[in-house]
Amino acid sequence: MSATIEQDTTPAPRLIGEAPPSPSGPAPEDGAPLNLPPALDGSRALTAVRVSVRQIPLLFRARRELGDTFALRVPERPRNSDERIYFLSHPDHVKSLFTNPDLAPSATSDSPLRPIVGPNSVLTTIGPAHMRQRKLLLPPFHGEAVERYTQMIADVAEREIGAWPLHEPFALGPRMQSITLDVIMAGIFGVPDGRPAPGTPEHGLRRMILRLSWLTATPVGMAAELMNAGRAEPVGLTKRLLARLDRYLYATIAAARARDDAQERTDILSLLLAARDEDGRPMSDAELRDELLTLVLAGHETTANSLAWTFERLLRNPAAYDRLRESVRAQEAEDDGWLEATIHETMRNRPVVPIIGRRVQVPWQLGEHRVPAKSLTLVSIALLHHREDVYPDPFNFRPERFLGVRPGTYTWIPFGGGIRRCLGATLAMAEQRVVLRAIARRTDMVAPDPRPERVLNRNVTMIPARGARVLVTSRQP
Ligand code: HEM
């Protein structure tokens, strides 16, 4: 055994490499002209649609044809000073954006989530308002606080796994979503086990969230997303659905305000209700609404789909799957190395959030290129994670590349980075560990269709197109 373990913990240098350096950052005031990255040809309207629904093939093609840094032309919007959006995927370029948050703030006003979660949340504010909210929200998402949820996550996962059908194909994605939604409802609203009682506003809210997220993966939902792209306020179907969801959310807030046990509660809503700004003012209902909806939406679909992708990948890579089952089933298995490496490799190979945006306030150097102030610069996490120089054999799923290796701050960025790094990363990692371990321990599964699942773009996420279909062949008690 020791021989295997020694082998296992040896870093795999051949599988992680380095990109050649590339100068990047605020451009020096040297009077040099701009040098815009090359742009992909084609109709602007069609490009905008492709970015929404066929993004991955489009970006990989653009990089093949144009190189590391390129532009896409999209329909001009009044807010943009330039109709081009710039895509980058070099670690040095990423670092320059993450380490200069004042000069390259988050492009939140362009996020497709903006019309849904509103202007007041930690996701959609920038500058001091953002930092205030981050400071307020960090403690409940910190390691020790997350530790408290571990048993609850395990209980929810065991209950869910016990209800799965045997020898009958089903999509894992929605089952994972049920687990992660329970976890987030428990953490945010203090609902025991995350399952609100029928008739409560939290129950209606849970139903509406599931409806909203189901809709966004359908053609109607995608059309609604396109209609809402670039808007500050929602329109059409999205607006109608949100109005119904808001009724439940505001009722939940009102019920929490009326409670008299706030002192003893540790849920995030109670914490936000007790918060005061520098003038001693509490948060308004509209501010609370935006914050809570952001946390619920950002906090469950992402983790659920990352777990769904993990099994989509494992079932098509039997050696990795066998090794995971062996390692979690071995009685003495204290070492989580392979489990952790599996999570890291899934998040590299299938990053659920494939793009993050920053808007540079001054001209920016990106290698040999220079883009103007106010440009929208998008980091393609998927392209970065598939660089041949950083990850040799990038398209293959090889957890061993992360064995005994700490993922790089600017080369492995499924949670983004800098002052906008995902607030729920610790919780998401804890959930993935606990749920992955429970499923791999108790079940044996196969893929009903051995072909890899395509990527489906859903709002800011990419998910398995068929929901990660599996068939459970056996289940231990
Ligand atoms: C596997 C699961 C998850 C992934 C892949 C993920 C990914 C991301 C990414 C890429 C960002 C943007 C970072 C940037 O712009 O640099 C982000 C932001 C955020 N995430 Fe997550 N996330 C996950 C789970 C969660 C969970 C469980 C929560 C809990 C509530 C959460 C809450 C947030 C919030 C509030 C932000 C905004 C942070 C800010 O702008 O300061 N996420 N996430």
Side-chain angles (χ1 to χ4, degrees):
M1 175 184 167
S2 64
T4 336
I5 299 281
E6 264 159 40
Q7 209 179 10
D8 288 353
T9 49
T10 305
R14 284 176 306 104
L15 290 174
I16 303 224
E18 256 178 53
S22 177
S24 178
E29 288 178 21
D30 54 7
L34 294 174
N35 177 17
L36 301 183
L40 204 62
D41 288 336
S43 125
R44 288 172 190 203
L46 202 58
T47 303
V49 173
R50 285 205 178 113
V51 170
S52 287
V53 296
R54 301 269 300 146
Q55 191 186 93
I56 293 294
L58 178 75
L59 298 192
F60 276 85
R61 188 186 117 211
R63 179 161 80 178
R64 261 195 322 276
E65 292 178 10
L66 306 171
D68 244 13
T69 310
F70 56 85
L72 294 183
R73 292 199 186 92
V74 292
E76 220 160 334
R77 278 188 267 146
R79 216 175 29 247
N80 292 5
S81 66
D82 192 308
E83 79 283 13
R84 289 167 187 235
I85 45 182
Y86 299 102
F87 284 83
L88 53 97
S89 55
H90 190 290
D92 291 352
H93 302 180
V94 172
K95 182 176 179 185
S96 76
L97 295 177
F98 285 178
T99 51
N100 284 290
D102 293 341
L103 294 176
S106 179
T108 50
S109 54
D110 292 272
S111 167
L113 283 174
R114 169 67 178 77
I116 297 173
V117 303
N120 301 304
S121 87
V122 64
L123 188 88
T124 48
T125 45
I126 56 173
H130 168 252
M131 287 316 281
R132 254 197 320 273
Q133 296 188 56
R134 241 186 115 91
K135 224 167 110 194
L136 180 67
L137 288 170
L138 272 173
F141 288 105
H142 204 260
E144 269 170 42
V146 166
E147 197 59 20
R148 282 205 310 263
Y149 295 130
T150 314
Q151 189 54 49
M152 191 266 287
I153 300 170
D155 293 344
V156 170
E158 298 294 343
R159 179 178 70 197
E160 179 59 43
I161 296 167
W164 290 351
L166 283 173
H167 308 295
E168 222 178 90
F170 64 93
L172 202 58
R175 308 299 178 123
M176 295 295 98
Q177 194 181 348
S178 168
I179 297 176
T180 57
L181 186 52
D182 285 353
V183 171
I184 208 78
M185 291 292 292
I188 294 181
F189 301 107
V191 177
D193 284 347
R195 285 286 165 99
T200 57
E202 289 93 335
H203 189 262
L205 180 62
R206 191 180 193 281
R207 227 183 35 239
M208 287 308 299
I209 286 165
L210 284 172
R211 197 168 295 172
L212 183 71
S213 80
W214 168 80
L215 181 85
T216 51
T218 65
V220 174
M222 287 176 197
E225 186 193 321
L226 279 171
M227 267 175 72
N228 279 276
R231 291 179 189 272
E233 300 298 331
V235 293
L237 182 61
T238 311
K239 180 176 176 177
R240 288 203 296 281
L241 259 177
L242 280 175
R244 291 180 60 193
L245 185 149
D246 281 350
R247 274 208 298 279
Y248 291 114
L249 191 43
Y250 282 120
T252 304
I253 295 169
R257 282 199 194 281
R259 279 197 297 252
D260 51 15
D261 61 348
Q263 306 296 343
E264 296 115 61
R265 297 181 66 100
T266 54
D267 55 274
I268 291 169
L269 173 52
S270 301
L271 177 112
L272 294 177
L273 285 172
R276 298 289 178 269
D277 69 11
E278 52 271 34
D279 302 320
R281 272 193 310 256
M283 287 171 82
S284 68
D285 278 7
E287 287 167 335
L288 284 166
R289 177 263 178 213
D290 289 2
E291 201 76 283
L292 294 169
L293 189 57
T294 297
L295 294 175
V296 175
L297 292 182
H300 84 284
E301 279 197 60
T302 40
T303 317
N305 282 301
S306 201
L307 278 160
W309 275 124
T310 307
F311 282 95
E312 191 279 341
R313 295 287 74 205
L314 284 171
L315 300 192
R316 282 148 187 97
N317 292 277
Y321 183 35
D322 287 349
R323 189 161 170 184
L324 179 70
R325 280 180 296 182
E326 275 161 30
S327 84
V328 301
R329 289 175 192 183
Q331 288 300 314
E332 73 274 25
E334 287 290 293
D335 172 31
D336 267 354
W338 189 256
L339 184 108
E340 199 75 5
T342 302
I343 298 171
H344 288 152
E345 177 65 348
T346 301
M347 298 187 86
R348 177 196 73 80
N349 191 218
R350 294 291 187 273
V352 170
V353 179
I355 283 184
I356 52 178
R358 304 288 189 261
R359 191 174 282 285
V360 295
Q361 302 302 302
V362 295
W364 214 267
Q365 198 71 36
L366 298 167
E368 63 188 290
H369 303 291
R370 189 176 286 194
V371 300
K374 306 294 174 202
S375 292
L376 181 57
T377 46
L378 300 182
V379 176
S380 169
I381 300 177
L383 287 181
L384 169 67
H385 285 183
H386 287 83
R387 286 182 70 98
E388 189 82 50
D389 47 10
V390 179
Y391 297 108
D393 195 17
F395 293 94
N396 281 327
F397 181 76
R398 305 190 60 179
E400 60 270 33
R401 65 173 100 239
F402 287 110
L403 263 186
V405 173
R406 228 183 132 96
T409 312
Y410 305 112
T411 48
W412 185 83
I413 56 164
F415 293 114
I419 60 162
R420 309 298 300 213
R421 184 169 190 271
C422 175
L423 202 73
T426 308
L427 175 61
M429 288 303 289
E431 285 187 87
Q432 291 185 90
R433 275 181 213 115
V434 172
V435 178
L436 182 56
R437 173 186 293 285
I439 299 176
R441 191 181 60 77
R442 284 188 64 192
T443 67
D444 293 302
M445 304 198 282
V446 292
D449 179 346
R451 287 172 301 176
E453 292 201 18
R454 277 190 314 104
V455 164
L456 180 73
N457 284 107
R458 181 160 86 177
N459 203 293
V460 295
T461 62
M462 61 175 230
I463 66 175
R466 282 170 281 140
R469 287 182 70 72
V470 301
L471 184 143
V472 179
T473 54
S474 73
R475 180 174 51 218
Q476 329 309 322

